[in-house]
Amino acid sequence: MDAEETVGAGALATHVELVEGPDPELAATMGFSGFGKKARTFDLEAMFEQTRRTAVERSKKMLEARAREEEAHKEKELRSQHEDVDSAASGSSVMGACPAVTSESSESEDGSNEELIGPPLPCQTSIQGPAEDTDDDDDEFIGPPLPPGYKDSDDDDYDDMQEEDNNPVKKIPDSHEITLQHGTKTVSALGLDPSGARLVTGGYDYDVRLWDFAGMDASLQAFRSLQPCECHQIKSLQYSSTGDVILVVSGNSQAKVLDRDGFPVMECVKGDQYIVDMANTKGHTAMLNTGCWHPKIKEEFLTCSNDGTVRTWDVNNDKKHKGVFKPRSVQGKRVIPTTCTYSRDGKLIAAGCQDGSIQIWDRNMNVHTKFHCRQAHAPGTETSCLTFSYDGTVLASRGGDDTLKIWDIRQFKKPLNSVEGLSSFFPMTDCCFSPDDKLIVTGTSIKKGGGNGKLIFFERETFQKVYEIEVTDASVVRCLWHPKLNQIMVGTGNGLAKVYYDPIKSQRGAKLCVVKTKRKARQAETLTQDYIITPHALPMFREPRQRSTRKQLEKDRLDPLKSHKPEPPVAGPGRGGRVGTHGGTLSSYIVKNIALDKTDDSNPREAILRHAKEAEDNPYWVAPAYSKTQPKAVFAEVESEEDETDNKPEWKKRKI
């Protein structure tokens, strides 16, 4: 028969089906009995529904218990206020109410057949303090009482933090500095990867140096130096948004892309300089001015050139540019862009031109400008830098007319603020915003012996000069404020790259290398030779591996070849194929050897006849060729010659 029943109102719903009994034929066939019972099945939906109802009932009971407890607590508070009972006694009476609640809740739990799931309920009044503190629920706290004076110190810290937030000058990290020696000429390009781990510098000496803060020690040496563009000055260096490649813009017409270690990845194609319309050429045809990466698209970058175009490129396509933007003057003529940049979202492209204008295009529409200002800076001066603020609404421009201006691109006819008298001698003097967007930083140029180059900080809203740093006795060309590191990098006109940081406000970067001691060079390492390790060579060809430097030096000292004294320098004219120190050229060497020749060839006839007998006995060169046609030589006798000389006048007897 089928038996299906629900055990208890609060029990889980189960369905058990039973049959009349085991089938004897089946048991005989299989060899064992026990068949006939079906598997026990569970209805999960019924189980969840029953659990939910149980939880709702239990929560209702708990809320009712808490309500009764609060009413009792309020009655006791009123009673204690009328009777002026001590606060401690009132606290003990409140604590005494807890067992009643727990016993009541235990009775309610015993009344139900359900099992309590989870930890027991905490006593509500045990976490509360005296009755005086229960009036304000917001001031309750868990744990031991605070020490005296804690709130006052907390308020002081809060006030200090508030003051620091209001005063952006206190966020400038200038308490410490390190100096990286790039070279002897101007550092005209700086670049930091997004993580702040590596710095790249470029200069007028055509060199590009790579610095790794985590790998450097206190000696502050670059781990790689290269000349990617041969004899062209480096004008701009920038890491991509992912930090895996570097854009190199130099004085030639072809920008290059290097990887993190300085190896070439891509080089832009050069355009045809005989085509009039620059939009029909595949690349730039004149000297580049600057370039930058797209902030969102990691494969795209931007360059501008003296051919009057601003071009976008794709790293994966070095055969042709991606897009062309041609700035125009008021008359519609070609204008040379001196600087270019993307907006923070990458939707706008801005270019500063030689006629003093700033022109901004939509990245997807390269024909007409979206914003433009014709008289942004003085005509004929090179606008050296354009940079957008982090919020994307403000554009700062550093002009060759010794000005710094800030613009709202929504009202682009007139600058919001401007400051004059900031001397600039370089076409790449730049400016940047602080990470909190409250300050603008730029550098000043000086003549030789004219003082110190300065890094000047202006407040963005009022454009008041709030701070300045005297960097060195040379011009400040490049400045870069990294938002993650909170460190300021500066490139100067005397070949230095300085890093300003604060041990508390800054992160990583220069802090990683200044704490490392200089590695001492062991003299023994310079004396030993390098070994070529050939792991799969035959045993007879394997070189014995060096076990100890000291033992190897002792063996080399006993070796007569390795311990041979070096040959002293030649002081004389030279012997054995070695030229003397003062006879470096072949002509001087020959002249000195001729001067030192002791043979006397004053009588040329005797010098020739000295070899006559040997030539007659062993003819080799001339005589065999004339053996058939040469007549027999007849020489005059010596006596007759003497007689002839006696008859000759005195002047004929002299030897010539």
Side-chain angles (χ1 to χ4, degrees), residues 189-425:
L190 280 178
L192 258 177
D193 68 341
S195 64
R198 286 191 175 181
L199 173 70
V200 58
T201 60
Y204 278 6
D205 54 359
Y206 323 133
D207 284 343
V208 171
R209 293 181 183 268
L210 299 170
W211 315 78
D212 190 352
F213 289 121
M216 280 193 303
D217 55 12
S219 61
L220 304 177
Q221 297 295 322
F223 76 90
R224 180 154 298 150
S225 177
L226 63 152
Q227 291 186 355
C229 302
E230 297 174 350
C231 56
H232 293 283
Q233 296 175 349
I234 307 300
K235 294 195 170 184
S236 176
L237 294 169
Q238 188 180 15
Y239 278 90
S240 64
S241 58
T242 56
D244 54 347
V245 286
I246 308 169
L247 174 63
V248 181
V249 176
S250 63
N252 62 356
S253 60
Q254 296 172 275
K256 287 189 176 183
V257 178
L258 310 178
D259 64 2
R260 284 179 61 85
D261 297 324
F263 297 102
V265 174
M266 174 253 191
E267 183 179 13
C268 297
V269 68
K270 186 175 182 179
D272 189 352
Q273 58 186 348
Y274 297 105
I275 296 179
V276 177
D277 189 2
M278 288 292 104
N280 294 328
T281 62
K282 297 180 179 179
H284 289 294
T285 61
M287 179 182 70
L288 297 176
N289 289 321
T290 189
C292 63
W293 287 97
H294 193 284
K296 304 293 183 183
I297 305 173
K298 64 178 182 178
E299 295 90 3
E300 182 179 323
F301 61 92
L302 181 71
T303 57
C304 66
S305 168
N306 280 356
D307 60 4
T309 60
V310 178
R311 299 175 190 258
T312 57
W313 302 83
D314 193 331
V315 176
N316 302 321
N317 182 16
D318 59 350
K319 302 298 183 184
K320 190 179 180 182
H321 59 256
K322 192 174 181 181
V324 182
F325 301 85
K326 296 188 289 185
R328 297 297 183 188
S329 64
V330 181
Q331 295 81 13
K333 296 181 180 180
R334 186 178 69 175
V335 177
I336 295 177
T338 58
T339 183
C340 60
T341 186
Y342 282 102
S343 61
R344 294 289 176 175
D345 56 2
K347 295 180 180 179
L348 300 177
I349 292 176
C353 305
Q354 268 189 349
D355 63 347
S357 64
I358 298 177
Q359 305 184 27
I360 303 177
W361 296 270
D362 191 330
R363 177 177 164 273
N364 299 321
M365 298 177 64
N366 58 359
V367 179
H368 298 290
T369 58
K370 190 172 184 179
F371 309 101
H372 67 271
C373 181
R374 295 296 179 187
Q375 290 83 24
H377 291 278
T381 61
E382 296 185 353
T383 303
S384 58
C385 179
L386 293 176
T387 181
F388 281 87
S389 61
Y390 286 95
D391 56 15
T393 60
V394 171
L395 175 68
S397 62
R398 182 72 162 93
D401 54 356
D402 300 343
T403 61
L404 175 66
K405 298 184 180 181
I406 187 170
W407 309 80
D408 189 344
I409 59 175
R410 296 165 294 186
Q411 298 175 354
F412 205 48
K413 300 300 180 183
K414 187 178 180 182
L416 297 176
N417 284 302
S418 66
V419 61
E420 298 178 354
L422 303 174
S423 58
S424 174
F425 301 156

Side-chain angles (χ1 to χ4, degrees), residues 34 61 68 147 204 350 368 436 505 554 607 611 624:
K61 293 179 181 178
R68 288 195 297 269
Y204 278 6
H368 298 290
D436 58 359
K505 303 171 187 174
E554 292 176 356
H611 307 283

Side-chain angles (χ1 to χ4, degrees), residues 19 21-38:
V19 297
D23 189 359
E25 295 181 358
L26 185 60
T29 304
M30 299 299 294
F32 58 89
S33 61
F35 291 96
K37 290 186 177 180
K38 287 188 177 181

